[in-house]
Amino acid sequence: MKTIDELLHEGVEGKRVFVRADLNVPLDGTTITDDGRIRAVVPTVKALADAGARVVVASHLGRPKGAPDPAFSLAPAAARLGELLGADVAFATDTVGDSATGTVAGLGNGRVAVLENLRFNPGETSKDDAERGAFADRLAALADLYVGDGFGAVHRKHASVYDLPARLPHAAGYLIATEVGVLRKLTDDVERPYVVALGGAKVSDKLGVIDHLLEKADRILIGGGMAYTFLKAQGHEVGISLLQEDQVPAVQEYLERAKARGVEFVLPVDVLVSSEFPDLKTKAPANPTTVAADAIPADEEGLDIGPETRKLYASKLADAATVFWNGPMGVFEHPDYAEGTRAVAQALVDSPAFTVVGGGDSAAAVRTLGFDENAFGHISTGGGASLEYLEGKTLPGLAALED
């Protein structure tokens, strides 16, 4: 895989460089609530601009249905990128139309432009190779070189991620190089003990990575909504907690395999429960009750791991040499259910291990709860991409960057 440093060494002055970034940031109206993904691509964009390239940044945001939708405009992200670069950033109001063509044509050396949301064009996400390829052809007309740096999208077989690199000389940006380097530390020659903490809502989202990690991890901690499917698999009452009944047999099989392989599965011993889901807008007090994990009332829902589980998980993380964490332990967006996630994050901060936060809600939780990002070994920008890499899958966006 060619690196951006090699590209810079060859010279990019005056060349149009298409940077596939991941500017898919959360918005409250037009206000960005977490700019982590924008900050992550700044080193690549700045290096190219400083070398005299004409930088064309493109990304998706949200899930518009192949047509323009003001709610998913990248205009706020473009403005924030300009603030972080300390330079004006031009913004094209379309992807391959007159605005994009004119904006790119007007770029001077060392200047940066951002195209409108790639998913406003149906060709970006089409499953039809010809339609996707036709869109990639139009994007290729805007550039001389391609730099892939949107790690959060490399698991998608989309036009700008998979098809476009085949049409232009290409290289990996700094972010992708860093992400891949970190993930290799979690899959090749891992320092042990290797502890994995998995949370989030659905166990089905994590089955593939659990299957793969049973061959690699020494200990797996389970929290979040997915924990209740594990508790159900052990025969416990879970009340009205989030449950994927159809996944119970698979979970039972994994628990048996883990035992046979000597992998320690650690499940909650107590949980916070309530008969009502908390109001995440007003943050009104929820007043949850703490109960044993095997004594959840039939009319109540588990919404966070309890205080004894927090202590247990912290102790299980304390002796680790390598830690991967993906998924919150509870409904961290509400203060009454944030302590489980906070406890796991704090345990990673306190640990001398190489610690990796696997993107998505985990990364959002770290920032929401006020942790110093530099206290972790690495915070990934791609939750889904990280998980698929750890599953051993071939990621289209990485395969496309291979020579």
Side-chain angles (χ1 to χ4, degrees), residues 131-295:
E131 184 180 14
R132 214 175 51 246
F135 183 51
D137 287 339
R138 296 183 71 186
L139 291 173
L142 300 173
D144 305 302
L145 303 168
Y146 176 94
V147 172
D149 214 30
F151 180 74
V154 293
H155 57 316
R156 306 297 187 193
K157 192 176 181 180
H158 291 169
S160 65
V161 175
Y162 178 76
D163 301 272
L164 184 55
R167 289 158 167 78
L168 295 169
H170 50 265
Y174 291 126
L175 174 61
I176 278 187
T178 298
E179 294 273 15
V180 171
V182 166
L183 288 169
R184 283 176 177 160
K185 289 184 180 181
L186 299 178
T187 53
D188 305 325
D189 300 320
V190 182
E191 286 193 49
R192 299 185 179 281
Y194 179 18
V195 183
V196 176
L198 296 175
K202 295 181 179 179
V203 70
S204 57
D205 293 341
K206 305 291 197 310
L207 286 179
V209 74
I210 292 171
D211 183 66
H212 205 66
L213 287 171
L214 283 173
E215 307 297 320
K216 297 188 177 289
D218 298 300
R219 188 179 298 146
I220 300 175
L221 317 182
I222 300 293
M226 62 185 287
Y228 303 101
T229 301
F230 276 85
L231 292 171
K232 184 71 172 180
Q234 290 188 324
H236 301 311
E237 169 67 55
V238 297
I240 58 172
S241 304
L242 189 62
L243 172 66
Q244 289 186 284
E245 190 86 47
D246 62 324
Q247 301 299 330
V248 168
V251 167
Q252 289 172 330
E253 179 194 341
Y254 286 160
L255 290 171
E256 291 170 5
R257 281 177 54 198
K259 185 176 181 180
R261 294 190 58 83
V263 177
E264 184 182 5
F265 251 105
V266 188
L267 301 180
V269 295
D270 63 344
V271 296
L272 300 188
V273 300
S274 175
S275 59
E276 295 183 359
F277 196 83
D279 189 323
L280 301 184
K281 288 189 176 181
T282 66
K283 308 291 175 68
N287 302 315
T289 303
T290 302
V291 300
D294 60 358

Side-chain angles (χ1 to χ4, degrees), residues 334-353:
H334 192 285
D336 287 352
Y337 300 107
E339 293 309 307
T341 301
R342 188 190 304 278
V344 168
Q346 187 63 54
L348 267 64
V349 169
D350 295 340
S351 172

Side-chain angles (χ1 to χ4, degrees), residues 345-362:
Q346 187 63 54
L348 267 64
V349 169
D350 295 340
S351 172
F354 175 61
T355 57
V356 179
V357 180
D361 285 342
S362 312

